[in-house]
Amino acid sequence: MEALLLADARISHIALVHCETTTGMLNPLAQVAALAARLGKTLIVDAMSSFGGIPLDVGQLGIDFLISSANKCIQGVPGFAFVIARRSELEKCAGRSRSLSLDLYAQWRCMEDHAGKWRFTSPTHSVLAFAQALRELDLEGGIAARYARYGENQRRLVAGMRALGFDTLLEDGLHSPIITAFYSPQAENYRFGEFYQRLKRQGFVIYPGKVSHSDCFRIGNIGEVYPQDIDRLLDAVSRAMYWQH
Ligand SMILES: *Cc1c(COP(=O)(O)O)cnc(C)c1O
């Protein structure tokens, strides 16, 4: 990245997906933030699936824009996204948006000038659920406690899946505590759809997930999910392995 940035001075911004949810990879935010600071680049972080579940210090990392939403690690319901922005960078966005509804600057001005008013119909139910979700995050012990629980879930999931014969797409050092990609079994008669239905009938839903040329499926472990739920899932997976029975 450093070589690319040094080779082309026109590159003004760096956009990083913190937790990349197709592979489950946790990208090196601290290193990239340091690079952005050193080379004077504006840093935009997609922290959709990490904010609230992985400790990070927006100010210390010098992040210019951090984007997240109500319905991932904060454990609210879907309905709105939010951006934490450096004010001087946000001010530069005046009149720049090519979209009417996705004009972040206009949304910010409306909230500033009209005592918190949303520009369009307010997502009232989602906002109330978000306030409750923040209380529950506090009750759990804050982000550090949630991070510890997600990490325990993920490690338990990987250990149990490996014991059942599944391999992870990534090596352990690259894993996020949020979602994990596993290779599909190589068995001749394995079909994702059949495996999915057998798990769903037992109360668990997994994601399909092609990564380039690798055939994978993904299992997320955030939300009101505890180690005993992971144990129940592993039991369900062992029952759903019809290609071995
Ligand atoms: C979930 C997710 C999104 C999409 O967020 P929605 O709130 O579902 O629209 C975008 N980027 C990443 C990295 C995500 O995990």
Side-chain angles (χ1 to χ4, degrees):
M1 276 183 74
E2 177 160 12
L4 283 171
L5 291 165
L6 290 173
D8 189 347
R10 292 170 307 174
I11 301 174
S12 53
H13 292 61
I14 300 175
L16 177 86
V17 181
H18 188 201
C19 171
E20 200 289 310
T21 38
T22 304
T23 56
M25 187 184 294
L26 190 66
N27 282 311
L29 174 58
Q31 285 97 311
V32 173
L35 185 64
R38 189 148 49 79
L39 301 182
K41 308 296 180 189
T42 302
L43 179 61
I44 303 172
V45 179
D46 173 343
M48 291 299 279
S49 59
S50 61
F51 191 73
I54 299 179
L56 62 89
D57 186 326
V58 178
Q60 197 215 321
L61 290 166
I63 297 171
D64 295 295
F65 296 91
L66 179 142
I67 303 152
S68 194
S69 84
N71 55 292
K72 295 275 177 85
C73 298
I74 304 283
Q75 297 187 181
V77 302
F80 69 95
F82 55 88
V83 177
I84 299 173
R86 186 189 298 283
R87 185 182 286 251
S88 56
E89 286 296 319
L90 185 55
E91 279 166 351
K92 290 184 198 162
C93 298
R96 261 195 206 166
S97 177
R98 285 170 289 176
S99 153
L100 173 69
S101 59
L102 298 178
D103 188 335
L104 185 65
Y105 178 84
Q107 175 61 72
W108 175 58
R109 282 299 352 145
C110 181
M111 285 186 152
E112 290 291 304
D113 297 342
H114 304 280
K117 183 185 179 305
W118 296 66
R119 241 169 113 224
F120 303 114
T121 309
S122 342
T124 44
H125 311 58
S126 305
V127 173
L128 283 173
F130 190 70
Q132 177 61 24
L134 288 176
R135 273 179 227 120
E136 291 176 13
L137 176 58
D138 260 353
L139 284 175
E140 182 170 359
I143 292 169
R146 186 157 290 178
Y147 175 64
R149 173 166 63 87
Y150 288 172
E152 191 183 345
N153 285 347
Q154 197 271 342
R155 288 187 296 274
R156 202 175 186 93
L157 172 70
V158 167
M161 290 294 281
R162 283 182 178 146
L164 289 171
F166 292 90
D167 292 321
T168 58
L169 174 72
L170 304 178
E171 48 189 89
D172 291 359
L174 297 174
H175 279 157
S176 69
I178 309 297
I179 189 167
T180 308
F182 295 94
Y183 283 112
S184 301
Q186 288 306 297
E188 188 84 349
N189 60 337
Y190 170 80
R191 296 287 175 275
F192 174 79
E194 176 65 23
F195 184 40
Y196 174 92
Q197 288 302 338
R198 284 173 185 248
L199 284 174
K200 191 172 178 186
R201 284 201 289 273
Q202 298 181 78
F204 295 94
V205 172
I206 62 172
Y207 300 96
K210 274 247 188 305
V211 183
S212 307
H213 301 295
S214 303
D215 190 14
C216 294
F217 62 88
R218 296 170 293 154
I219 303 183
N221 56 257
I222 62 173
E224 278 300 292
V225 173
Y226 295 83
Q228 55 270 33
D229 300 308
I230 301 296
D231 292 344
R232 290 196 303 114
L233 167 67
L234 292 167
D235 188 49
V237 169
S238 74
R239 289 172 202 275
M241 294 170 70
Y242 66 93
W243 58 93
Q244 282 197 349
H245 298 157

